[in-house]
Amino acid sequence: MTARPIAVVGASAAGLAAAETLRRSGWRGPLTLIGEEPHLPYDRPPLSKQLLHGAWEPEKLRLRTEEQLAPLDLDLRLGTRATGLDVATRTLTLDGAERLACAGIVIATGVAARTLPGADRLTGVHTLRTLDDALALRDRLINGGTPASEGVAGGGGPRQLVIVGNGVLGCEAAAVARELGHEVTVVGIEETPMAAAVGTDVGTLLAEEHRARGVRLLTGAVDGFDSTPADPADGPGPQVTAVRLADGATPGSRLPADTVLVAIGSRPAVDWLTDPALDTTDGLRCDAYCAAAPGIYAAGDVARWNHPAHGRPLRFEHRMNATEQGMAAARNLLAELAADGPTGTEDGTPAQERRPFAPVPYFWSDQYDLKIQAYGLTAGADRVETPVRDRAGRRILALYGREGRAVGVLAAGLPPRQIRALRAVVADPLPWEEARERIAAATAAG
């Protein structure tokens, strides 16, 4: 009888980490890695930074080469989409109605970019989630803007770029586009850029940085697009010419644009998970061990799990979390399989107990030469203080609280030693006043 495989659905950072951990932890049975994109696993954060800028080529984003993947002995299914999952039998349905019965499954399908009605039929309107998305947008930007400089491609005249959405992705793309010499307008429904993620004080510092670099920041809702008839020289569809603002938005009902980036957030890639045994509200709901159902685990942007330290379900779209959770989900899946009976691990591999996944979240954002780093939870805070706020020196430190405890900290422009010391302040949510004292001590010691 052929042994059932463990299948990892999603071939980005979380899925790769899960596959490597399964092998490293002793799984010697069949191992299938399924990825919807045709590319080998690659790193996503540089898509909106170095790759979009033209400083890096796609090869530099690869997390592993074919030669590095070979020892994993994978059944690698790139360009393959999972379309269904029967939870009771742990059976996946793939493109072409193929069915794959599994010993266990790790779901790491990530998120998909949100868009606006009519955007997909217009030439010049982009989203930015995948490598192909980034290359298409880069082609528009590199073929316009400043002349080529060292490490950066150049092109013709500047584009009129409108970015819809002033969150992290929109702000990072705006910084790159300005450095390439394009006219950039960012329009968002929030008055302050990135306010939902980092709060008003930090967002205000970022807004000043963007304005100083020539970015136009507007507040308003987008109602649609204007376009000209299709021109084969420009692309297969009508060419976007303007972004229309909704009534009552920022004065000026139309923003001229030959290129548009829709950066209005993302949605967890769970549409294919229709089995009623799964809760797919804002991601795939999991317990503290990253288990969504017996033998089925989730990791990365798609997973919403019970975080032990915060006592509530959380979902992070952070690069470091993807790798750490992929590893944790793989180890816990193997522990469950070992407890249920013989597995495909090597003889003598000791069975491990499942462990709750309780990371200290970390994220960063690079905008111009400003690097923002954060530990813990910065979104959804009910209290924010900025003990360091030096706009002239482009330095800021913010402490975020929820229900009387410090849950997150963010810094920009501080020495690396001070930034590293901040992690301990929010590793376990401390009472607010104690956290304030430790923040003061950490910054004074630098």
Side-chain angles (χ1 to χ4, degrees):
M1 179 178 177
T2 303
R4 288 188 171 196
I6 290 179
V8 179
V9 187
S12 193
L16 176 64
E20 291 184 329
T21 301
L22 287 165
R23 286 301 192 214
R24 191 165 51 244
S25 300
W27 176 257
R28 295 296 177 263
L31 180 56
T32 301
L33 179 61
I34 301 162
E36 184 171 356
E37 296 182 61
H39 310 291
L40 290 172
Y42 63 86
D43 213 10
R44 292 190 189 275
L47 294 179
S48 60
K49 305 176 184 74
Q50 295 93 337
L51 185 92
L52 188 61
H53 205 292
W56 288 10
E57 291 303 316
E59 293 74 19
K60 195 166 183 178
L61 274 65
R62 284 183 187 160
L63 294 171
R64 301 291 184 271
T65 63
E66 290 184 2
E67 292 74 18
Q68 290 169 329
L69 289 175
L72 297 179
D73 191 22
L74 296 172
D75 173 16
L76 184 59
R77 310 279 194 98
L78 298 178
T80 301
R81 190 165 59 94
T83 59
L85 170 61
D86 184 293
V87 170
T89 62
R90 302 178 195 171
T91 300
L92 290 164
T93 303
L94 307 179
D95 283 337
E98 177 187 357
R99 291 174 64 80
L100 183 65
C102 302
I105 298 168
V106 178
I107 296 171
T109 45
V111 296
R114 296 184 185 276
T115 188
L116 293 170
D120 57 352
R121 66 178 184 83
L122 295 177
T123 297
V125 179
H126 300 260
T127 55
L128 182 50
R129 172 62 189 169
T130 69
L131 176 58
D132 291 340
D133 291 341
L135 290 174
L137 179 58
R138 184 174 82 166
D139 186 61
R140 300 280 296 189
L141 299 182
I142 295 303
N143 289 319
T146 58
S149 59
E150 184 177 353
V152 179
R159 294 285 188 185
Q160 289 182 305
L161 172 65
V162 173
I163 298 175
V164 183
N166 59 2
V168 177
L169 177 61
C171 289
E172 289 182 348
V176 168
R178 278 303 298 146
E179 289 177 338
L180 291 173
H182 299 289
E183 299 176 14
V184 181
T185 298
V186 177
V187 56
I189 57 174
E190 297 288 342
E191 183 176 354
T192 305
M194 288 179 55
V198 300
T200 302
D201 281 348
V202 177
T204 298
L205 175 69
L206 293 171
E208 292 173 353
E209 189 72 19
H210 281 284
R211 289 192 181 100
R213 305 281 185 144
V215 176
R216 183 186 183 198
L217 301 177
L218 302 177
T219 305
V222 169
D223 190 41
F225 307 98
D226 289 347
S227 62
T228 58
D231 183 344
D234 290 329
Q239 168 65 45
V240 68
T241 59
V243 174
R244 295 197 309 270
L245 300 179
D247 292 341
T250 304
S253 60
R254 283 170 170 76
L255 303 174
D258 58 24
T259 306
V260 175
L261 172 61
V262 179
I264 56 174
S266 59
R267 54 179 178 78
V270 294
D271 293 350
W272 62 286
L273 296 170
T274 58
D275 192 311
L278 300 175
D279 180 354
T280 56
T281 305
D282 186 31
L284 181 54
R285 184 75 161 83
C286 301
D287 61 17
Y289 303 96
C290 308
I296 298 172
Y297 288 69
D301 298 359
V302 74
R304 184 169 66 95
W305 89 105
N306 290 340
H307 194 296
H310 294 280
R312 58 192 177 98
L314 297 172
R315 187 175 68 83
F316 298 139
E317 296 182 22
H318 300 161
R319 173 63 177 84
M320 293 299 295
N321 183 73
T323 294
E324 292 174 355
Q325 195 166 25
M327 296 168 65
R331 287 192 292 260
N332 284 340
L333 170 60
L334 281 185
E336 179 187 328
L337 296 180
D340 289 345
T343 69
T345 57
E346 286 186 328
D347 292 341
T349 301
Q352 302 292 322
E353 291 187 358
R354 296 196 309 163
R355 296 181 180 178
F357 180 56
V360 179
Y362 169 78
F363 84 90
W364 76 95
S365 177
D366 296 322
Q367 297 175 37
Y368 309 106
D369 56 352
L370 190 66
K371 189 176 190 70
I372 302 155
Q373 299 181 75
Y375 293 103
L377 309 181
T378 58
D382 57 30
R383 186 174 185 179
V384 182
E385 287 188 8
T386 51
V388 176
R389 182 169 43 185
D390 176 7
R391 289 177 178 168
R394 303 164 74 238
R395 299 167 61 247
I396 194 163
L397 171 62
L399 182 64
Y400 301 80
R402 183 183 174 96
E403 298 176 353
R405 292 186 172 271
V407 295
V409 62
L410 176 148
L414 298 185
R417 181 179 176 183
Q418 288 185 354
I419 293 175
R420 288 193 297 269
L422 300 176
R423 182 184 185 279
V425 177
V426 294
D428 282 316
L430 295 174
W432 181 259
E433 292 303 324
E434 182 180 348
R436 292 180 73 223
E437 292 173 0
R438 292 185 64 173
I439 286 284
T443 53

